[in-house]
Amino acid sequence: MNADPKLPEIQSVVSFLRHCPPFGGLPKPTQQDTARRIRITYLRKGEQIRADSAAYALRIVRSGAVEIRSEDRQLLDRLGEGESFNIHGLDVGSEGVVAETIEDTLLYQLPRAAYEALRAQFRDFDRHFHSQRNRRLRRAARYRPDTNLLTQPLANHVTSNPLSLPPETPLQAAARTMTEHRVSSLLVKDGEQLLGIVTDRDLRSRALARGLPVHTPIRDIMTCEPKRIELDASVFDAVLAMTREGIHHLPVQQDGKVVGIITSSDLMLARENDPVYLVQHLSRQQDVESLAAMTSSLPSLMVQAVRGGMRAHQLSRVLTAISDAVTCRLIELATEKLGPAPVPFCWLGFGSQGRGEQLVGADQDNGLLIDNRATANDMDWFRRLATFVCDGLNACGYPYCNGKVMATTDRWRQPLSEWRRTVDNWTHAPTPEAVMRVSIFFDLRSVYGDAHLCEQLQRHMLSRARRDAIFLAALAANVLEQTPPLGIFRRFLVERNGEHRDEFDIKKRGVLPIVDLARIHALAHGIPAVNTRERLQHLVDARILTIGDGRNLQDAYDTIQQLRVENQCRQVTDGHRTSNHLNPDELPGLERKHLKDAFTVVHDAQEAMRSHFRQGL
Amino acid sequence: MDTRYVAVDLETTGLSPEADEIASIGWVAVEQGCILLETARHYRVRLEKGVGQSAIYHQLTDSELQQGEPLSTVLPRLLEAISGSVLIFHNAQLDMGFLNRACRSLWAAPLPVPIEDTMQLELRRLQHRQQCIPAGALRLFQCRHRYGLPDVAAHDALGDAIATAELWLAMKAGEYQKCPAQ
């Protein structure tokens, strides 16, 4: 690089590079130098870049979008603004990779020498392009669309780090260790080398039945050189091997090394992960512990369902059905303990449960609606019911609600007449604080009990809310405070520090604004539906929203929920707790673009609402 | 098609070549459908009169501009860079007005160069489609939007020269072979 001090700072290019993942981490003078080496080209939609004809360079998408496909046209990746690729680097191991512009595209090219120099000099920069390729290959693997359990890769069901002991271990010690680990088999290993396998059945038929002393080393009863299966085999291969050999345990190997074990009960469990199975079996559990044991599999159920191609809105229906089933079973268990309910009642689900839009990790939002005839004594029965159910839900992974919107809170556990009075108070004197607290109340649904009570309350609520412009305006003002995290030039706004640095809350900033918009319009027009997609559909049918606006909002909602679900799946797979925080830089280019489009739709709809409800503000 | 092009942009203290001055010059060369940022140059020009009103717009202060070089040093560099090339402007009339006047005052002759003007190209395209052309529709960043080109954070003479070159590439896309092997 020429060190001429007269060389200009190319601000417009540097300020773009700063936001491209691997370049942002480079020192400022290097960013300047890099900008000066760039060559800019413009490609029409549909043009191809091939390793055999194009110059060796790093290509950065400045605007537009590019698809990377393998030789057999399989989609490997989609790149949007700020993302980069080196067509020659992608070519390793798979010949004939092609990049094709799917929109008119402005491309920045960093020539080979400059690109290689950066990789040699900056480790993080180099690593970015290493990991990028791996990610792409992984994703390509994931694109195999099969939902059939038997064709699924075995890897999803394998228990890694299986229990292993040296061959000299005495029988009794081995049996004790197996009991402690709650496993039905153990691997006998000499260092890294697999010698054999010992199962429950071996302990019974080869040790106990023959009366072997407890000090006998396990090598005497092990099955030598057990049959193994490769990690990349399918579930079908494993079932076949087990039935052929009449065995229930298969060590799993990769590159000749044992990496896990698969058992016939793992394979049975794989089937139990079916949501229908789960809902059915929840209603047969006899105590809170066994309910909790079943719901603990929800995160992995989500991952499998999503990998199997289930969409976010279907998944949230399933997860809501499951939390409904848990709630109903808990109420039944409580009734067994407390005796039958003294008067009719209805267990209400609010918020995401009310709307049928729950995902994994949702907190509980519920209430009790009780027949007006209830006496003070009766009310005590309901207090105890509420405590049992809410504690049970918490134990089953539906944490207590921070805002105390729970049947255990007195004002959320009332006879119908009191509920009506509460609604009147909210709508008459809408303080901002009250409005914020009650908005989820308007997404209510009968989960258990007398649905007629719920209908009466909902009808009353709609008739009040609908004619009260001031209340609606207060609700609108509250809603409009949460805007999508997009700044000027459509860059994502992320948190600058703290635990969620570089992330934003996709639920709060993306999902809820749409939910809120649909709710206000529904309330203003007396529409009883509570599910967001249904509300939007009713609003379109009633010509309150145009078909275009309604469809845009629905697409935006589906897109954002889908990304939220996929983000949670990633968190589960990486062993993290599920949360709603998402780092936009970790999204593939096209998804990022879709998310931006979705946010823009939300923003526009909010602007429209701002002017619509302004009269009351 | 191996004509060499140079996209040029000037920042000026006003709109009149007679009364106002060139505050900065930026340029970048385009060869075979490829903008070469290694050829990009950007010079502040020392003002004789001061920036007046437009300082707000260009975010330059008088004192910053005093650090610039005299026009008599900057202009020969431009002439050297554009030798044998076609110039690309967005609104050539304005910038050429300033350049011709500067050349006349330094060498008593105007600047005889072939010119392409992205604003005129766009005007003709819109007229050809018989579209109505609203006010501001021919500004550089409005034109870029119509070609799906992104907004740019920094607005200086060099940034706008590059932005003009990109717009020109988008207009001419398909006519040129892309960057040769490097």
Side-chain angles (χ1 to χ4, degrees):
Chain A
M1 188 86 235
N2 189 339
D4 182 354
K6 293 241 168 54
L7 285 173
E9 297 197 342
I10 310 181
Q11 282 314 335
S12 58
V13 175
V14 169
S15 62
F16 164 70
L17 280 184
R18 247 201 319 265
H19 293 282
C20 301
F23 293 98
L26 297 174
K28 286 217 168 86
T30 310
Q31 290 175 350
Q32 293 285 359
D33 283 347
T34 305
R36 283 191 288 264
R37 304 294 301 273
I38 282 173
R39 302 173 157 214
I40 306 173
T41 57
Y42 183 90
L43 275 69
R44 282 273 180 81
K45 176 180 168 178
E47 290 192 52
Q48 291 192 339
I49 303 160
R50 291 176 170 278
D52 53 13
S53 54
Y56 192 110
L58 180 72
R59 289 172 168 80
I60 311 160
V61 179
R62 175 64 184 94
S63 66
V66 172
E67 268 183 9
I68 314 268
R69 287 184 183 273
S70 64
E71 194 171 25
D72 56 0
R73 300 293 295 159
Q74 199 187 14
L75 183 66
L76 298 183
D77 207 352
R78 285 187 177 132
L79 305 176
E81 184 180 321
E83 292 181 299
S84 40
F85 64 99
N86 167 16
I87 195 79
H88 293 80
L90 295 172
D91 214 10
V92 179
S94 64
E95 292 301 311
V97 174
V98 181
E100 185 174 326
T101 51
I102 54 172
E103 293 174 16
D104 291 347
T105 298
L106 195 59
L107 266 190
Y108 283 9
Q109 296 188 30
L110 187 62
R112 178 175 199 158
Y115 170 55
E116 300 287 4
L118 287 177
R119 288 189 69 164
Q121 199 181 345
F122 300 99
R123 261 183 78 201
D124 284 344
F125 186 89
D126 183 51
R127 202 176 293 150
H128 176 86
F129 289 101
H130 260 298
S131 61
Q132 199 182 31
R133 198 172 67 220
N134 294 340
R135 204 183 61 210
R136 227 167 252 144
L137 295 176
R138 247 200 333 274
R139 189 169 318 138
R142 233 189 297 142
Y143 258 93
R144 260 179 275 157
D146 54 34
T147 50
N148 187 333
L149 170 71
L150 285 179
T151 57
Q152 273 182 20
L154 196 57
N156 291 346
H157 306 286
V158 169
T159 309
S160 45
N161 303 319
L163 181 63
S164 65
L165 290 172
E168 306 78 40
T169 314
L171 281 180
Q172 193 173 36
R176 202 183 307 126
T177 315
M178 284 167 71
T179 308
E180 277 163 13
H181 287 78
R182 297 162 163 223
V183 293
S184 57
S185 66
L186 67 83
L187 299 178
V188 184
K189 277 165 103 178
D190 186 12
E192 275 302 294
Q193 201 201 342
L194 178 68
L195 302 176
I197 185 169
V198 172
T199 68
D200 275 353
R201 190 164 66 175
D202 299 332
L203 286 170
R204 166 165 50 84
S205 56
R206 294 183 192 163
L208 263 181
R210 291 185 199 161
L212 290 188
V214 292
H215 304 296
T216 314
I218 51 174
R219 70 144 42 94
D220 291 359
I221 66 159
M222 71 183 183
T223 303
C224 294
E225 309 223 342
K227 189 167 171 54
R228 309 171 188 199
I229 191 158
E230 294 294 326
L231 183 65
D232 56 10
S234 67
V235 168
F236 177 76
D237 296 331
V239 173
L240 197 64
M242 285 183 191
T243 22
R244 266 193 194 150
E245 309 282 325
I247 54 176
H248 299 283
H249 301 83
L250 272 177
V252 179
Q253 66 178 7
Q254 186 181 28
D255 303 328
K257 246 182 71 183
V258 174
V259 294
I261 192 157
I262 183 112
T263 68
S264 53
S265 47
D266 289 334
L267 294 177
M268 225 138 76
L269 267 181
R271 200 160 303 154
E272 287 178 14
N273 248 340
D274 190 278
V276 180
Y277 173 96
L278 196 63
V279 171
Q280 252 174 22
H281 284 246
L282 281 169
S283 63
R284 293 185 205 151
Q285 302 308 309
Q286 288 307 317
D287 48 42
V288 177
E289 289 71 39
S290 43
L291 280 173
M294 295 198 77
T295 52
S296 66
S297 69
L298 284 182
S300 68
L301 177 137
M302 168 179 75
V303 173
Q304 293 206 355
V306 171
R307 280 191 188 155
M310 193 183 275
R311 309 296 299 170
H313 66 93
Q314 299 163 325
L315 176 74
S316 55
R317 283 276 188 208
V318 167
L319 289 173
T320 309
I322 289 170
S323 78
D324 283 3
V326 173
T327 310
C328 292
R329 187 61 193 146
L330 284 168
I331 294 173
E332 287 166 5
L333 290 174
T335 328
E336 285 171 19
K337 243 178 72 177
L338 303 171
V343 293
F345 73 96
C346 181
W347 185 275
L348 301 173
F350 299 118
S352 61
Q353 190 184 14
R355 296 190 303 270
E357 293 166 5
Q358 261 183 326
L359 291 183
V360 166
D363 25 325
Q364 43 177 304
D365 294 313
N366 49 48
L368 258 176
L369 172 55
I370 301 158
D371 190 283
N372 283 336
R373 286 166 293 182
T375 63
N377 252 352
D378 296 343
M379 290 305 286
D380 193 53
W381 186 93
F382 287 108
R383 189 185 52 76
R384 285 189 285 160
L385 171 73
T387 308
F388 183 91
V389 177
C390 292
D391 288 351
L393 285 171
N394 186 59
C396 289
Y398 303 97
Y400 296 121
C401 168
N402 278 333
K404 299 268 181 292
V405 181
M406 289 185 292
T408 44
T409 309
D410 289 346
R411 67 183 330 209
W412 296 92
R413 186 183 72 250
Q414 305 187 81
L416 179 59
S417 55
E418 290 299 315
W419 269 113
R420 284 187 161 146
R421 198 164 311 147
T422 309
V423 171
D424 292 349
N425 287 341
W426 285 336
T427 48
H428 278 156
T431 63
E433 189 245 349
V435 163
M436 193 153 65
R437 219 155 3 92
V438 305
S439 65
I440 63 162
F441 162 78
F442 293 99
D443 306 337
L444 84 170
R445 186 168 56 86
S446 154
V447 174
Y448 182 98
D450 188 350
H452 184 59
L453 284 170
C454 178
E455 277 164 37
Q456 291 181 61
L457 177 60
Q458 203 194 14
R459 216 174 306 133
H460 179 74
M461 169 204 98
L462 279 178
S463 73
R464 281 301 139 94
R466 177 173 196 179
R467 61 183 182 223
D468 199 327
I470 295 177
F471 170 69
L472 288 173
L475 212 51
N478 175 54
V479 160
L480 295 173
E481 273 175 25
Q482 281 300 346
T483 52
L486 271 193
I488 48 167
F489 307 129
R490 301 218 314 160
R491 289 218 181 273
F492 288 113
L493 300 176
V494 292
E495 291 182 24
R496 292 186 176 276
N497 36 43
E499 189 194 346
H500 297 296
R501 202 176 149 200
D502 298 332
E503 301 178 332
F504 56 75
D505 185 330
I506 189 171
K507 178 185 178 191
K508 210 160 110 187
R509 310 289 302 267
V511 178
L512 290 185
I514 303 179
V515 168
D516 290 339
L517 282 164
R519 180 192 304 119
I520 292 191
H521 282 304
L523 286 180
H525 297 92
I527 289 167
V530 290
N531 177 269
T532 300
R533 296 173 108 238
E534 285 171 20
R535 275 175 169 164
L536 290 173
Q537 188 55 51
H538 282 292
L539 290 167
V540 170
D541 292 345
R543 295 171 187 259
I544 295 151
L545 289 181
T546 66
I547 294 178
D549 286 349
R551 195 168 293 160
N552 279 344
L553 274 173
Q554 186 153 321
D555 288 346
Y557 180 76
D558 288 346
T559 303
I560 297 172
Q561 277 287 61
Q562 189 69 30
L563 287 173
R564 182 180 164 209
V565 164
E566 282 165 12
N567 188 47
Q568 292 199 341
C569 286
R570 260 193 305 274
Q571 290 165 337
V572 171
T573 327
D574 294 349
H576 298 307
R577 211 159 41 88
T578 55
S579 86
N580 289 309
H581 281 89
L582 182 145
N583 182 341
D585 282 344
E586 288 170 3
L587 290 176
L590 207 72
E591 288 183 10
R592 234 163 45 192
K593 205 169 148 63
H594 285 160
L595 190 58
K596 284 183 181 176
D597 290 344
F599 283 159
T600 309
V601 167
V602 177
H603 173 264
D604 292 349
Q606 284 190 331
E607 286 306 305
M609 168 164 284
R610 209 180 293 278
S611 55
H612 183 107
F613 287 98
R614 185 169 290 153
Q615 300 94 318
L617 287 177
Chain B
M1 261 308 172
D2 38 20
T3 313
R4 187 173 184 273
Y5 296 84
V6 178
V8 184
D9 188 70
L10 308 184
E11 301 283 13
T12 58
T13 59
L15 294 176
S16 157
E18 282 70 38
D20 298 310
E21 296 178 81
I22 298 174
S24 63
I25 306 183
W27 68 80
V28 65
V30 185
E31 291 178 17
Q32 292 172 287
C34 197
I35 302 169
L36 307 173
L37 292 190
E38 70 221 73
T39 65
R41 294 294 181 271
H42 191 201
Y43 296 101
R44 298 257 167 82
V45 178
R46 187 179 303 158
L47 294 183
E48 308 297 325
K49 301 174 192 164
V51 282
Q53 286 298 313
S54 66
I56 304 149
Y57 181 64
H58 299 309
Q59 297 169 344
L60 298 173
T61 60
D62 278 353
S63 70
E64 272 183 291
L65 289 169
Q66 293 321 311
Q67 297 161 6
E69 299 175 76
L71 194 57
S72 55
T73 319
V74 176
L75 214 50
R77 295 197 192 117
L78 173 68
L79 294 193
E80 191 187 343
I82 64 176
S83 146
S85 310
V86 177
L87 297 196
I88 305 171
F89 293 95
H90 192 78
N91 193 3
Q93 201 186 1
L94 182 69
D95 287 354
M96 281 306 290
F98 277 94
L99 287 179
N100 277 327
R101 186 178 162 82
C103 288
R104 264 196 219 98
S105 72
L106 286 174
W107 301 296
L111 195 60
V113 282
I115 282 164
E116 296 236 357
D117 186 342
T118 49
M119 192 176 90
Q120 291 300 326
L121 287 171
E122 182 67 356
L123 175 65
R124 245 173 283 145
R125 189 179 74 98
L126 294 181
Q127 279 169 343
H128 184 71
R129 292 180 165 192
Q130 299 186 310
Q131 280 179 357
C132 117
I133 301 169
L138 290 174
R139 299 175 71 136
L140 176 56
F141 283 85
Q142 291 297 320
C143 294
R144 282 172 61 94
H145 276 185
R146 281 192 291 275
Y147 289 83
L149 293 171
D151 283 320
V152 173
H155 290 282
D156 51 30
L158 177 56
D160 283 356
I162 295 170
T164 303
E166 288 176 348
L167 175 61
W168 187 80
L169 281 189
M171 289 173 159
K172 303 280 171 177
E175 289 179 31
Y176 295 91
Q177 206 196 339
K178 296 303 171 293
C179 272
Q182 288 144 7

